[in-house]
Amino acid sequence: MTTDLETRAAAARPGALRRAAPALLGYAAVRALGLVVLALWSEARGTSAYTLLTARWDSLWYTRVAELGYGYEVRLPNGDVHSNLAFFPLLPWLERLAAVSPLSYADGGFVVSLLASLAAAWGIFAVADHLYGPRAGVCAVLLWAVLPVGIVQSMAYSESLFTALAAWALYAVLTGRWVTAGLLAGLAGLTRPVGLAVVAAVWAAGAAAFLRERAGSSFVGDGSAVPAGGARGDGHAGPPPDAPRTGAPYGAPQQPHSPGVRLRRAAGMLLAPLGAAGYVLWVGARTGDGPLGYLEVQAGWRNGFDGGYAFARFVAGRFTSFPSALAGVALIAGVALVVWLYVLCVRRRQPLPLLVYAGTVTALALCASSYFGSKPRLLMPAFPLLLPLALVLARARTRLLAAGLGAAAAASAAYGAFWLNGSGPP
């Protein structure tokens, strides 16, 4: 039986691109500004902007996998072993598909990242629009575009591809498309180790749905449904000002006990971890270290999860002298901002899958012992953290909003050019 939700989704589908057009055009303008500033900055320094985007740091490892496959490693004088098995395969596979003559694998990576960044922007808009309306959706996309490390969205890295898959997987969960959510989560698991965050979101939403069925209640505690009669806890009529707009939790059909619904939900939950699990098990078989083989590969890069101990020591080490102490203060402020944004997401009752996803991405980024300069870009896929800010901006006057985001776009473009011509994103 077709539900009201499915009817609304089908009716909206033909105009989905037109609805998202302002967000996508704004996103493209911000990214174009960033690329122009990077080109001018690089020209002044005698460097190649295109090389910076496609042939440095991790992008070289991805293109080498695309060209030669797995098995390449670098042994450092200190005994560390950097193996390309640390890099998940979906981006190199797509680079192979895109590298049609005369394009090289690096060109293919650049094309994939550009297209994936637009898909990510659309997915972020779809989630925010579904929950809060189109104006908040546009603001969320532009906030993601003007992040200080937003230039990474245009690099031959996997962040844009992963964010696109994650955003659309979350949208599929919110709208009750469980099999689609599972397939996208599986692909996200083939893109980056943090694909586990998407799997966790799908499983959390599925488990919550099963518990609701078992309890036989409407369960509105996830923030995606409004109490009966439109009553609010503060005594006013209607939903809370910033409450998500969805009706049933996670877009669940109105007949949640239907065998077909339960079967699709179970199928989505089973599909979600297959990508990450498949690659990790393949690495373990290839290295001979079993299920923990991938962790050994990451250990060769000195990557691991220590609960944030190494990062805390790194921040504390900034306070040994005055100039570096300023960097320490900035790092503490940045972490505090991220935590504050997550608290706002919880207080404003974001749906459970978004909270689980953003929380997992944030925890993995901040509590990993990997290179500390990577943390800003590792946090970039945690776009639900931007939704509270998007709601605030959505209420601003259009002129003020345009001026503020325009200034932020200019600052992001300048910082991206400076950063990429300097230390850059390792």
Side-chain angles (χ1 to χ4, degrees), residues 11-406:
R13 200 170 294 126
L17 180 58
R18 183 169 61 250
R19 187 177 180 87
L24 297 179
L25 290 174
Y27 177 79
V30 172
R31 291 273 42 85
L33 175 63
L35 293 176
V36 169
V37 172
L38 174 64
L40 295 175
W41 196 299
S42 301
E43 180 68 22
R45 288 179 55 88
T47 58
S48 167
Y50 192 68
T51 298
L52 293 175
L53 293 169
T54 62
R56 289 184 70 184
W57 303 295
D58 288 4
S59 57
L60 287 174
W61 288 88
Y62 283 118
T63 54
R64 188 175 283 116
V65 172
E67 183 177 4
L68 303 174
Y70 286 104
Y72 177 81
E73 63 182 29
V74 175
R75 295 184 175 271
L76 303 182
N78 65 356
D80 290 345
V81 178
H82 289 183
S83 168
N84 64 359
L85 290 170
F87 296 88
F88 278 52
L90 185 58
L91 178 58
W93 288 347
L94 294 177
E95 287 179 343
R96 287 184 182 179
L97 292 176
V100 179
S101 182
L103 297 181
S104 66
Y105 291 111
D107 298 333
F110 184 65
V111 171
V112 169
S113 291
L114 288 183
L115 295 177
S117 67
L118 288 170
W122 194 352
I124 293 170
F125 172 83
V127 170
D129 176 36
H130 180 75
L131 294 175
Y132 305 112
R135 189 174 176 88
V138 172
C139 291
V141 169
L142 294 180
L143 282 172
W144 191 68
V146 302
L147 289 173
V149 294
I151 190 65
V152 175
Q153 297 163 16
S154 299
M155 296 181 66
Y157 270 44
S158 60
E159 272 76 11
S160 291
L161 178 60
F162 174 77
T163 305
L165 293 169
W168 284 108
L170 291 171
Y171 179 74
V173 169
L174 293 173
T175 54
R177 297 171 174 85
W178 292 100
V179 174
T180 300
L183 290 171
L184 291 172
L187 291 174
L190 284 171
T191 307
R192 296 185 62 80
V194 75
L196 293 174
V198 190
V199 177
V202 174
W203 273 74
F210 280 119
L211 289 175
R212 283 194 303 274
E213 291 179 1
R214 190 176 184 86
S217 66
S218 59
F219 186 71
V220 296
D222 55 33
S224 58
V226 178
R232 279 175 25 199
D234 56 8
H236 294 82
D242 297 326
R245 299 184 314 161
T246 70
Y250 321 133
Q254 294 175 355
Q255 296 82 23
H257 300 284
S258 164
V261 172
R262 289 197 297 268
L263 181 61
R264 290 193 295 272
R265 185 189 307 136
M269 294 176 69
L270 289 174
L271 288 169
L274 293 184
Y279 182 68
V280 168
L281 292 175
W282 178 81
V283 170
R286 183 182 176 99
T287 61
D289 293 323
L292 301 181
Y294 184 76
L295 297 180
E296 293 297 323
V297 170
Q298 286 286 7
W301 287 80
R302 302 212 172 191
N303 291 336
F305 189 87
D306 62 1
Y309 175 72
F311 185 42
R313 289 190 59 185
F314 173 78
V315 173
R318 302 305 93 194
F319 290 93
T320 56
S321 62
F322 174 70
S324 64
L326 297 177
V329 171
L331 286 170
I332 293 174
V335 172
L337 174 62
V338 170
V339 173
W340 176 68
L341 287 174
Y342 187 75
V343 171
L344 282 182
C345 292
V346 174
R347 291 181 61 185
R348 297 191 177 185
R349 302 169 64 195
Q350 277 188 13
L352 178 64
L354 268 65
L355 292 176
V356 170
Y357 168 75
T360 306
V361 172
T362 301
L364 291 176
L366 294 182
C367 298
S369 59
S370 57
Y371 182 72
F372 306 115
S374 301
K375 294 191 182 295
R377 71 173 177 88
L378 295 179
L379 284 166
M380 192 168 61
F383 69 89
L385 296 178
L386 300 174
L387 296 184
L389 297 179
L391 284 170
V392 174
L393 292 179
R395 302 191 196 100
R397 294 182 178 180
T398 301
R399 286 186 180 181
L400 184 61
L401 178 63
L405 289 174

